Amino acid sequence: MKLSAFASDGHPVAVKLPPMKLRSGESVTMTPADWGRLGTVPVHIVVAERGRKRSRTSRGRMLGVRFARVGGVRLVAGEAGSPARAEVGIVVRRLPDDATLSIALDVLRGAQVVTQSVPVQLVGADITSGSHEVVLVDALAPGRYRVRVRLLETVSDGPMQASRVVKVLRRLTL
């Protein structure tokens, strides 16, 4: 049995619940404690048959598994007014079938976002460990910056999709 929902930040989440047997005439109702946090909260399960109810609580196993992490980040200045870029090192382990990986980043000076990247989406064989180039929207002046990298790992399981967001903050100098 699988349940899916959207997390509070909008990405799809899906869990697989332990197997259960239903007899003829039984119906089941599954209610997570919080649909917005489906992957981390218990699910209340009620089995009903001819007016009698049995209930239990169970935790689901996330369908979206972690498969990528940020190894390193490097800012590279653009040439003569062209936008800067970032080289993001990705480490991939146990890549599931039908996986996609999106890379996006924000460049901050203090608490203010100076520029953002054009998101990069990698699919299938393109998801490899190593450096991936991410183009920024604007040029950057020399100085100290903080870079917030977000990886969106998405895995399909039939008609269901599950994803996880990995966030990393690094201090860099250009």
Side-chain angles (χ1 to χ4, degrees), residues 67 92 95-101 121-129 132:
F67 61 85
V92 178
L95 183 66
D97 296 334
D98 298 327
T100 62
L101 177 67
Q121 185 164 10
L122 306 173
V123 180
D126 294 336
I127 305 174
T128 59
S129 291
H132 297 275

Side-chain angles (χ1 to χ4, degrees), residues 69-80:
R69 69 178 176 85
V70 177
V73 182
R74 188 172 80 109
L75 289 176
V76 180
E79 297 192 20

